[in-house]
Amino acid sequence: IALAAMCMSQGAVSPGLARFAEIWPQYNAHIALINTLPSLIAIPASLLSGRLADKGILTYKQLAIIGMIIATVGGVAPMVLFGSFPVLLICRACFGMGLGLFQPVANSVILLIVPGERARHYMSISSAASNMGGILFQTVGGLLCDVSPRLSFATYFICGISALVILFCLPNPPRAVSLPKHTGKAEPMGYRVFGWATLNLFFSGCFFIMTNIISMVVINNDLGTAADAALALSLFTLGGFAGSVLSSHVFRLLRVFTLTFACLLPAAGYTIMIFSNSMLPIYIGAFIFGIGFGCWNPTLQTFGGRSVPASCTSTALSLIMCFAGVGNFLSAYFVNFLSQFFPPWDRFGFAVGVTI
């Protein structure tokens, strides 16, 4: 739980993106990189983490602790090095490297030590913990940003506390090895996991569209402050917590249609936010979106993790997270590209999200 709670920690800076744009107007076209760059850097780090774990070079606990230390240093450093936008991006890249190292560990441990259908229940708990951590980071980050944008990065001191819990509590599952009797070679991972990863790319990109522009929609339309945007994001993660808790029950009812249900809820949430003229509809839309997000993550990761041999579990989950990182990073540029063909509208990203 302590590890999963850190997996959405990059959202601490999302409520302050509009404030950062005021500080560095010359970098306005690239300001979303503060939020999306960690996802890009996490891609190779996640793949590296999965391979190191599956090959037995480092234990899951070692990967988690190393990643947490790097993320803490990279997350807190902008408090001191806040004056330069390029230096800030270097710090965010360092944070993304740590994030990529520890993100795949929590769910890999669950799938390797929890048998059968019980794993789906524990994956739901892990996703719920991730969303609760997201609420904490977004709320604290938004409140600190209202005091000073520099202070929003102090939120990452929480990662250091989590690292101590992981040091003493995280179990190391036995390394899973899958060797066919006649060849002596490890079973291949197969191609099905790439289908699950591609689905996660589109869904994660859809989610990051909201985190990238909600602060600007709220502040530019005089609907509220950075703290109000943080509250909207916190309600999203609260919805994610509710969706995670309910996901195993939803799966028992809908089975293969669970992911379809999880996609319809974000579309409904975005639609509500498009027509909002106050914070209340934005809060409601974000919460509904979050329920879909909470149902999506544990279900898709369970499907993806179970679609490969046990010896490839960490690599498969790393791949799924890498594709999500690609979607996260490209989301802002994709929306900016499409917006060139339409009249200016600050909620255009929400319309793109509905379509996706």
Side-chain angles (χ1 to χ4, degrees), residues 3 71 76 87 93 119 123 130 151 171 211 236 243 277 299 303 312 321 323 344:
L3 183 58
V76 173
V87 172
M123 290 286 280
S130 179
L151 281 180
T211 66
F236 164 83
N277 55 11
T299 304
F303 282 154
C312 300
M321 290 182 180
F323 273 59

Side-chain angles (χ1 to χ4, degrees), residues 117-140:
E117 285 297 313
R118 288 181 59 204
R120 194 183 307 280
H121 172 68
Y122 284 96
M123 290 286 280
S124 299
I125 294 175
S126 174
S127 182
S130 179
N131 281 284
M132 289 303 293
I135 293 173
L136 175 65
F137 277 94
Q138 289 159 1
T139 303
V140 174

Side-chain angles (χ1 to χ4, degrees), residues 296-316:
W296 174 275
N297 265 348
T299 304
L300 184 129
Q301 291 192 23
T302 302
F303 282 154
R306 294 300 194 200
S307 69
V308 299
S311 59
C312 300
T313 298
S314 294
T315 302

